[in-house]
Amino acid sequence: MPSQRTLARLLTLHAWAGIVTGLLLFVVCFSGAVVVFKEEIDLWANPSLARLPHADAPVALDTVLAQLQARYPGATVETIALPDGVNPAYFAFLQEAGAPAAQRTKVALRADTGAVVGPVDSQLGQYLRMLHVFLFFGPRWIVGFLGVAMLVLIATGIVIHRKILAELFTQRWGRSLRVVLSDLHKSAGIWGLGFHILIAATGAWLGLAPLFEQGWAYVAGTAPAARAAAPGKARPAPAAMPSLDALQAAARQAVPGLQVAYVSLRQWGTAAAQVRFTGGLQDHLASTARVEFDAATGRVRARHDPRTAGFWSLANGLMEPLHFGDFGGLPLKWLYFFLGLTPAMLSLTGTLIWLDGRRQRAVRSGPALPAHPSP
């Protein structure tokens, strides 16, 4: 049983951790609750795409690439996203000739014929994801540290509110605003405790694991050396490219059960061309399987199967689906949405409780009224 002094210190830590990170936690948690419907939001924002037919057998990747090259001559096709259970279309990300280096155009294509529909008007779902993962323009480790802060808030809250079971159904609506907010704060924290731990831990991992990996690689001396671009270096010679569909079949042989979601192209059409197939695994939660080829030769450059790459790789592959809840269909998304709103509510109610406490302390410490009015 912690002493009163320890409890007071934990309460102070809990309060200040919540106040310092409260606004950012509210933004990240609220946007995270909404972003579970990223694909549905993008379709809602683009009604013409929602009306496209779903194809039981999507058209070949070679047809999609040929249609893009015919419609956008001179453009560089960088990524092709395959149709899935929500999105009825192929999507391609390309850099058009003469466009700024950082500008990409997202183009939709029919899944049944490969015909180009046109540029996607709105990417609202992607903007919400950028807000949740990067706070738009920040590095991802900032959101990772918010996950750590959330774990600190959870741990201190558990110790402070020791009588958890007794407070499960405590909600005193007829009391003061501070009491009502306090009961709401505790109830939301208790009922959503397991989910909050899951979201905080996976969010911290996703944000900070790459940072620790880079630091370890630097300390161990295994970080890849930066390659200086040689001035005036000639562009690789043109070369005949193999079938994307044949390479996709080879990728599925290299990693059995690979369900390709994205195809990434680099220097396509040249002797230095590379292609990478990325996606999930059939009957498995891991979402980081990939196979990379030298396109001109068809040689496998690298493959990654989380099932055989060791514990840490498997754990890393599980973090994103567990964090975003995109593996159980629409019912699980709704569950993640409602539970995901509770940490945002905790940030709001915790801030209001702290502000009300400061107001009450200011009133109590104010100047005492004189016993008798002065003449």
Side-chain angles (χ1 to χ4, degrees):
M1 180 70 67
S3 65
Q4 289 299 318
R5 185 177 181 181
T6 300
L7 286 175
R9 289 177 175 175
L10 289 176
L11 182 59
T12 301
L13 174 61
H14 184 85
W16 279 106
I19 291 302
V20 171
T21 63
L23 177 60
L24 289 179
L25 275 176
F26 178 84
V27 171
V28 168
C29 294
F30 185 82
S31 61
V34 177
V35 86
V36 298
F37 296 109
K38 173 186 175 298
E39 289 82 6
E40 289 84 357
I41 290 172
D42 275 335
L43 289 180
W44 170 78
N46 298 276
S48 61
L49 298 182
R51 291 192 293 268
L52 292 177
H54 284 267
D56 294 332
V59 71
L61 283 169
D62 292 326
T63 302
V64 171
L65 183 58
Q67 294 274 13
L68 287 168
Q69 292 172 335
R71 180 70 173 269
Y72 298 94
T76 301
V77 180
E78 296 185 346
T79 305
I80 300 173
L82 278 67
D84 55 29
V86 178
N87 290 314
Y90 279 99
F91 293 109
F93 297 85
L94 50 87
Q95 183 178 20
E96 297 188 64
Q103 180 178 315
R104 300 293 181 272
T105 302
K106 183 179 181 180
V107 178
L109 304 94
R110 289 179 64 106
D112 54 350
T113 65
V116 175
V117 177
V120 175
D121 296 325
S122 173
Q123 298 188 53
L124 178 60
Q126 180 62 24
Y127 291 145
L128 289 171
R129 185 180 175 94
M130 291 290 291
L131 174 62
H132 175 69
V133 175
F134 299 105
L135 293 171
F136 276 135
F137 302 110
R140 194 168 187 174
W141 58 259
I142 294 178
V143 178
F145 276 117
L146 289 176
V148 173
M150 190 171 171
L151 288 172
V152 170
L153 289 166
I154 292 170
T156 53
I158 290 174
V159 177
I160 293 168
H161 303 293
R162 301 180 303 283
K163 300 178 181 179
I164 289 179
L165 294 178
E167 295 173 342
L168 276 175
F169 301 98
T170 300
Q171 185 59 57
R172 295 163 289 182
W173 293 108
R175 303 289 294 275
S176 66
L177 177 62
R178 180 181 174 85
V179 172
V180 171
L181 288 175
S182 178
D183 288 345
L184 281 173
H185 189 80
K186 287 183 287 187
S187 297
I190 294 168
W191 284 105
L193 181 60
F195 180 81
H196 298 161
I197 294 173
L198 173 67
I199 292 300
T202 54
W205 179 290
L206 290 170
L208 297 179
L211 196 67
F212 287 121
E213 287 176 0
Q214 293 168 12
W216 174 253
Y218 179 80
V219 171
T222 58
R227 296 181 180 178
K233 185 178 180 180
R235 176 180 170 83
M241 293 290 99
S243 163
L244 272 179
D245 296 285
L247 289 175
Q248 180 177 220
R252 288 171 173 162
Q253 287 184 346
V255 178
L258 174 64
Q259 296 179 316
V260 177
Y262 297 96
V263 182
S264 303
L265 307 175
R266 182 179 178 187
Q267 295 184 302
W268 189 256
T270 73
Q274 299 172 17
V275 58
R276 182 173 61 200
F277 297 89
T278 307
L281 296 167
Q282 187 175 5
D283 301 323
H284 201 285
L285 283 183
S287 62
T288 55
R290 59 185 178 271
V291 183
E292 187 172 337
F293 294 92
D294 278 327
T297 63
R299 180 180 66 89
V300 175
R301 288 174 53 88
R303 76 186 75 192
H304 177 72
D305 186 342
R307 297 167 299 190
T308 60
F311 171 78
W312 293 112
S313 179
L314 178 60
N316 188 58
L318 295 174
M319 290 299 110
E320 189 148 334
L322 287 174
H323 188 76
F324 289 101
D326 55 2
F327 57 90
L330 203 56
L332 185 64
K333 288 185 177 184
W334 278 111
L335 179 62
Y336 264 64
F337 171 73
F338 286 115
L339 289 176
L341 290 176
T342 55
M345 189 184 78
L346 286 170
S347 298
L348 181 61
T349 55
T351 301
L352 293 175
I353 292 169
W354 184 80
L355 290 174
D356 187 68
R358 286 197 64 183
R359 181 186 63 81
Q360 292 188 18
R361 287 192 295 273
V363 170
R364 288 196 298 268
S365 62
L369 294 175
H372 303 282
S374 57

